[in-house]
Amino acid sequence: MFQNITAEKLHELHLNGDVTLVDVRSEAEVARGIIAGALHVPLHALPTRVAQLDNTRPLVLYCHAGGRSAQGCLFLAGKGFREVYNLQGGILAWLSYGFPLDSRPG
């Protein structure tokens, strides 16, 4: 199972370097900006790239509004990942707090 996380809480954890961020949006969406340091793994590619993710660290997945990332979280939880979080409201929630975006994946 996974849990939702707020943009405020994610910002706090991200500043401390306590999580790995995974952006599951499309290439076109990522071209408009990404949270600094996030890995870009489109949702459709997650099954083929799951071995690249560190299951010993908390993972936070996000998409545009939270739907696709929730699907990704369910998938990873089913693969044995224990600390998986979905950014509630997606990147829209992140932006609503005025948090910054970067221009390229980490």
Side-chain angles (χ1 to χ4, degrees), residues 75-87:
F75 172 78
L76 291 176
K79 293 291 183 186
F81 285 74
R82 293 187 184 135
E83 286 190 84
V84 182
Y85 301 91
N86 179 49
L87 176 56

Side-chain angles (χ1 to χ4, degrees), residues 17-98:
D18 293 338
V19 297
T20 299
L21 291 171
V22 181
D23 187 323
V24 298
R25 298 176 301 151
S26 70
E27 292 285 340
E29 290 172 304
V30 169
R32 290 178 279 196
I34 189 168
I35 298 174
L39 303 171
H40 178 226
V41 181
L43 183 62
H44 69 85
L46 196 56
T48 62
R49 295 186 53 194
V50 69
Q52 297 173 359
L53 301 175
D54 184 354
N55 66 358
T56 65
R57 288 180 48 87
L59 292 175
V60 178
L61 276 63
Y62 71 90
C63 62
H64 184 72
R68 286 173 286 171
S69 51
Q71 292 174 18
C73 287
L74 281 172
F75 172 78
L76 291 176
K79 293 291 183 186
F81 285 74
R82 293 187 184 135
E83 286 190 84
V84 182
Y85 301 91
N86 179 49
L87 176 56
Q88 187 174 347
I91 204 162
L92 292 176
W94 180 264
L95 291 172
S96 75
Y97 282 94

Side-chain angles (χ1 to χ4, degrees), residues 6-21:
T6 66
E8 285 180 304
K9 183 65 176 174
L10 174 57
H11 187 255
E12 177 185 318
L13 294 173
H14 184 48
L15 287 176
N16 294 330
D18 293 338
V19 297
T20 299
L21 291 171

